[in-house]
Amino acid sequence: MGRTYNIVSIPGDGIGPETNGAAVRVLEAVAEKYGFEPRITEYKAGGCAIDAFGVPLPGETLHAAQDSDAVLLGAVGGPRWDMIEAERRPEQAILGLRQGMHLYANLRPATLQKELGDVSPLKDPGDIDLLIVRELTGGIYFGKQGSYKSSEKLFDGTRKGVIAFDTETYSEAEITRILRRGFEFAMKRRKKLTLVDKANVLNTSRFWRKIAQDLAPEYPEVEMEYLYVDNCSMQLVSRPSTFDVIVTSNMFGDILSDLAGQITGSVGLLPSASLGNPGMPGLFEPIHGSAPDIAGQKKANPIASILSVQLMLKLHLGEKDAAESISQAVRKTLAEGARTPDIAVHGDEGSKSKIILVNTDEMTDRIIANLE
Ligand code: IPM
Ligand code: MG
């Protein structure tokens, strides 16, 4: 028996089934070419699981994910479930999978494909090729939260009423393991690491900085840069090509990765990998959400999901040739002018002439046809 992988597919809500469906098709096609076998089983999570079972992350979905080699996730959430109480919101499915699978390292590469230079909203984007290493199972996302009624008053005598709170907590061990991932990726890339924090205000950020400074001598070849998150968002717009690896907390990574997605053309292009310790299953998903406004219309860009398969093959399953085949097919398809609506909107008139507007399925068909 050749190389067989147990893959759990979780299409989710909104455009999730469309983009994840595209990713599964590409996975099956590339597997056939490169002689391995993905055994794909589908499970529910998110809003559709709330509808079917009353909970966003059914136990059988989590257990299947924990027992798999890798999980391919679409997207979850939508206005239909927005009124549900916090613990049962669709987003809890993603957070529960991240926590339940111990996926503390979230990798979000943002590369400006040459063919899409005119799609970036930046006038002169340069060669953007950066990797955000986002801590994924700690910080304010998983800290103590709650609310209580207070008898305190504001300075002008107004009663504060109810107070809601979230807490940012990070342990030395959590910070150290994600920083090491950042240093290791920097060593394999252009050897520059930017730690993004808010050390001028936050205690946790100062702790990140101290640990980074303590670890830095172990990686003498890596050039360190320290940026406050507000400044970093500005620098990502003004000098994006100077970034190599960015390592940061859960919350800051969430925000900066959407920004990185937009400057490289569209959030519809960016994949992500969530990993735990070596040997544990990983989860692969686009960074975009469920986009309920365009769900079911075949308008969604499947490239972020398809490149998530590429990351799964390259970083996790060791199928490097198959991964390269997908990257190459995506580049070729874009070079041929195929554009879903999200990447056909910017650009000057000259370049628009060779644009072929396609839907989700057509983009996927073209990419499959271009696999080598
Ligand atoms: C992301 C998403 C999630 C996050 C949501 C859906 C919980 O925005 O993966 O970036 O905030 O991490
Ligand atoms: Mg996000």
Side-chain angles (χ1 to χ4, degrees):
M1 201 52 248
R3 288 112 62 211
T4 305
Y5 306 110
N6 288 320
I7 310 289
V8 162
S9 162
I10 304 180
D13 311 313
I15 59 169
E18 295 161 69
T19 57
N20 211 60
V24 165
R25 281 177 56 211
V26 171
L27 174 60
E28 284 172 338
V30 85
E32 206 178 305
K33 269 195 192 314
Y34 286 84
F36 60 92
E37 192 195 342
R39 292 214 181 119
I40 303 169
T41 4
E42 202 174 293
Y43 287 87
K44 282 191 197 314
C48 61
I50 299 176
D51 291 347
F53 309 109
V55 288
L57 182 60
E60 67 158 24
T61 303
L62 178 60
H63 296 143
Q66 287 166 332
D67 288 343
S68 73
D69 291 312
V71 178
L72 203 52
L73 184 94
V76 301
R80 271 186 55 204
W81 304 283
D82 270 354
M83 302 316 291
I84 296 176
E85 71 278 19
E87 314 78 70
R88 288 203 311 125
R89 281 182 63 94
E91 287 77 7
Q92 288 304 320
I94 293 195
L95 299 176
L97 281 166
R98 289 174 181 169
Q99 199 172 35
M101 295 171 71
H102 309 289
L103 304 170
Y104 59 86
N106 184 219
L107 313 174
R108 298 189 160 188
T111 313
L112 180 61
Q113 311 262 1
K114 278 201 187 50
E115 297 74 19
L116 289 179
D118 59 341
V119 177
S120 170
L122 301 184
K123 240 188 290 164
D124 183 16
D127 282 334
I128 308 178
D129 178 12
L130 59 89
L131 172 69
I132 298 182
V133 178
R134 169 189 177 194
E135 199 291 325
L136 204 58
T137 51
I140 198 161
Y141 272 57
F142 294 98
K144 197 168 179 243
Q145 51 177 228
S147 54
Y148 58 94
K149 205 160 164 64
S150 161
S151 55
E152 291 165 28
K153 290 178 181 155
L154 297 180
F155 79 97
D156 64 359
T158 317
R159 282 191 181 284
K160 283 191 178 172
V162 174
I163 295 182
F165 64 94
D166 297 279
T167 338
E168 170 99 345
T169 11
Y170 267 118
S171 66
E172 192 178 345
E174 285 172 310
I175 299 170
T176 304
R177 69 182 175 183
I178 194 71
L179 284 174
R180 284 202 184 279
R181 287 288 177 106
F183 278 111
E184 282 155 18
F185 275 105
M187 283 302 290
K188 286 192 220 139
R189 294 173 45 109
R190 301 194 307 278
K191 301 195 170 60
K192 182 171 172 193
L193 182 65
T194 305
L195 171 63
V196 176
D197 60 32
K198 189 70 188 171
N200 50 347
V201 178
L202 300 178
N203 190 37
T204 40
S205 284
R206 284 189 283 271
F207 196 32
W208 275 73
R209 232 176 234 225
K210 180 185 175 300
I211 297 172
Q213 281 158 351
D214 288 348
L215 290 177
E218 290 183 42
Y219 306 87
E221 287 173 57
V222 176
E223 179 200 340
M224 277 303 288
E225 176 181 43
Y226 298 92
L227 286 182
Y228 301 142
V229 62
D230 47 350
N231 184 21
C232 180
S233 31
M234 193 171 87
Q235 306 297 340
L236 271 171
V237 172
S238 63
R239 54 166 179 95
S241 61
T242 65
F243 287 92
D244 181 14
V245 180
I246 290 176
V247 62
T248 191
S249 67
N250 205 343
M251 177 77 152
F252 296 156
D254 177 46
I255 299 167
L256 293 179
S257 57
D258 269 33
L259 175 53
Q262 196 55 37
I263 59 175
T264 50
S266 162
V267 284
L269 295 166
L270 294 202
S272 85
S274 303
L275 305 174
N277 281 339
M280 290 165 68
L283 182 146
F284 302 83
E285 59 173 326
I287 74 152
H288 63 68
S290 58
D293 52 320
I294 57 161
Q297 301 174 30
K298 294 192 193 294
K299 281 189 188 161
N301 189 343
I303 292 181
S305 274
I306 291 170
L307 290 177
S308 299
V309 172
Q310 185 263 341
L311 282 183
M312 177 174 102
L313 296 174
K314 179 177 155 190
L315 294 176
H316 194 59
L317 300 180
E319 297 287 351
K320 297 218 163 44
D321 295 340
E324 183 46 37
S325 175
I326 295 179
S327 312
Q328 167 282 124
V330 168
R331 281 198 301 270
K332 190 163 173 210
T333 307
L334 291 172
E336 288 166 358
R339 300 282 187 275
T340 41
D342 60 313
I343 47 174
V345 287
H346 310 286
D348 57 43
E349 289 309 315
S351 62
K352 266 186 193 154
S353 56
K354 61 167 189 157
I355 281 178
I356 311 158
L357 198 62
V358 295
N359 68 26
T360 312
D361 297 344
E362 291 160 346
M363 180 65 101
T364 311
D365 292 341
R366 282 168 180 267
I367 291 170
I368 291 175
N370 280 332
L371 289 171
E372 269 173 6

